């Protein structure tokens, strides 16, 4: 089973990806992880990618696709895999489709986890992190016993800069601009399934399993 997870920041893609991976025994592949691994191991592809990263530029699609191809040929991918954070553009999606075809593989489903924008803003802006031990809280869903103080170590809870409202709204705008064309692309190919991302983690996962039957 080959799956792609789509959804705005804060919809819970990562969490659902972990659950899908466990349930169906397929690895969750993140391009960020592959990139870091190739760079760390100083492979040919890693060196090429690092040259762009060092200049603060995006790593070109063909390098990313080559890394992907290398990764999906590994033993743990023989039953399939889930992609999270890739493809990001229609050009990447087309290149990925071609690469799968070349390897005799086929994309099964693209799961779009859908959560209303105001709910995403509430989820992300309510997040608080302990600056000492890194524990994560939420002022509404998982508040600390004492306001602003970490239950675990007594450290101070802070709001990360990328969780501030204006930054969150900006991240959502960027997401919409870049991902909307991708959503239409997969919708047209008949692969897209929208999953309601509201409710408890387990409830959402039940919906995901329904779709994957």
């Amino acid at each position: 089973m080959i799956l792609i997870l789509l959804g705005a920041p804060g919809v819970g893609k990562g969490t659902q990806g972990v659950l899908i991976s466990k349930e169906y025994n397929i690895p969750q592949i993140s391009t960020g992880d592959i990139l870091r691994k190739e760079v760390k191991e100083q492979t040919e592809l890693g060196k090429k990618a690092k040259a762009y990263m060092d200049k603060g530029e995006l790593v070109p699609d063909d390098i990313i696709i080559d890394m992907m191809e290398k990764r999906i040929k590994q033993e743990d991918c023989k039953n399939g895999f889930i992609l999270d954070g890739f493809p990001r553009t229609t050009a990447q999606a087309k290149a990925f489709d071609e690469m799968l075809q070349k390897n005799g593989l086929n994309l099964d489903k693209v799961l779009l986890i859908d959560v209303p924008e105001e709910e995403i803003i509430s989820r992300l802006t309510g997040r608080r992190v302990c600056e000492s031990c890194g524990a994560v809280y939420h002022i509404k869903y998982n508040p600390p016993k004492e306001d602003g103080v970490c239950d675990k170590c007594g450290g101070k809870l802070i709001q990360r800069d990328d969780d501030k409202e204006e930054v969150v709204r900006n991240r959502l705008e960027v997401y919409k601009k870049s991902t909307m064309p991708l959503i239409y692309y997969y919708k047209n190919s008949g692969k897209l399934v929208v999953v309601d991302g509201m409710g408890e983690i387990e409830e959402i996962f039940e919906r995901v399993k329904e779709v994957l039957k």
Side-chain angles (χ1 to χ4, degrees):
M1 187 159 58
I2 298 176
L3 304 172
I4 290 174
L5 277 178
L6 288 181
V11 298
K13 282 196 305 293
T15 308
Q16 292 302 322
V18 170
L19 294 172
I20 295 168
S21 173
K22 274 189 190 150
E23 178 83 12
Y24 298 97
N25 195 23
I26 53 177
Q28 183 176 5
I29 298 176
S30 129
T31 31
D33 291 347
I34 297 179
L35 259 175
R36 283 186 286 275
K37 187 170 184 283
E38 296 275 344
V39 169
K40 192 177 163 209
E41 292 173 1
Q42 297 190 336
T43 62
E44 273 312 302
L45 286 169
K47 286 176 192 164
K48 281 184 192 169
K50 192 174 185 301
Y52 290 94
M53 288 155 82
D54 287 348
K55 288 186 278 191
E57 293 171 11
L58 285 175
V59 179
D61 289 352
D62 57 338
I63 296 178
I64 299 276
I65 291 285
D66 287 347
M67 284 183 182
M68 270 294 173
E69 185 162 17
K70 188 176 155 187
R71 176 67 185 90
I72 67 170
K73 284 179 173 170
Q74 287 169 11
E75 186 58 24
D76 64 340
C77 290
K78 67 177 193 298
N79 294 326
F81 50 88
I82 317 157
L83 290 184
D84 178 5
F86 178 89
R88 285 184 187 276
T89 62
T90 314
Q92 282 183 353
K94 286 177 180 161
F96 180 63
D97 282 345
E98 282 163 20
M99 185 262 281
L100 285 178
Q101 225 168 359
K102 190 177 92 181
N103 287 284
L105 297 169
N106 190 28
L107 175 65
D108 291 294
K109 289 240 185 305
V110 178
L111 300 181
L112 173 64
I113 300 180
D114 187 40
V115 173
E117 196 165 306
E118 289 310 311
E119 170 65 18
I120 293 174
I121 291 165
S122 152
R123 282 183 190 184
L124 293 179
T125 55
R127 204 159 43 179
R128 296 292 179 272
V129 182
C130 172
E131 57 180 5
S132 305
C133 75
V136 180
Y137 296 87
H138 193 284
I139 51 177
K140 185 170 155 194
Y141 304 115
N142 177 28
K145 291 189 182 78
E146 190 187 331
D147 201 23
V149 181
C150 176
D151 294 350
K152 291 178 183 158
C153 74
K156 184 180 166 209
L157 298 184
I158 56 163
Q159 183 182 40
R160 291 192 333 211
D161 285 341
D162 59 348
D163 286 339
K164 294 194 168 136
E165 186 166 339
E166 62 276 19
V167 180
V168 169
R169 286 190 185 276
N170 188 44
R171 280 167 71 194
L172 290 174
E173 277 312 307
V174 170
Y175 163 78
K176 278 192 281 198
K177 281 198 186 94
S178 61
T179 314
M180 276 305 164
L182 204 52
I183 291 170
Y184 290 126
Y185 176 78
Y186 285 123
K187 203 174 179 177
N188 291 335
S189 71
K191 299 275 165 90
L192 188 80
V193 184
V194 180
V195 177
D196 176 9
M198 293 293 282
E200 296 294 318
I201 291 168
E202 275 306 320
E203 280 175 65
I204 301 161
F205 187 49
E206 285 305 319
R207 289 176 208 140
V208 167
K209 284 196 290 192
E210 243 343 275
V211 163
L212 296 181
K213 268 182 184 170

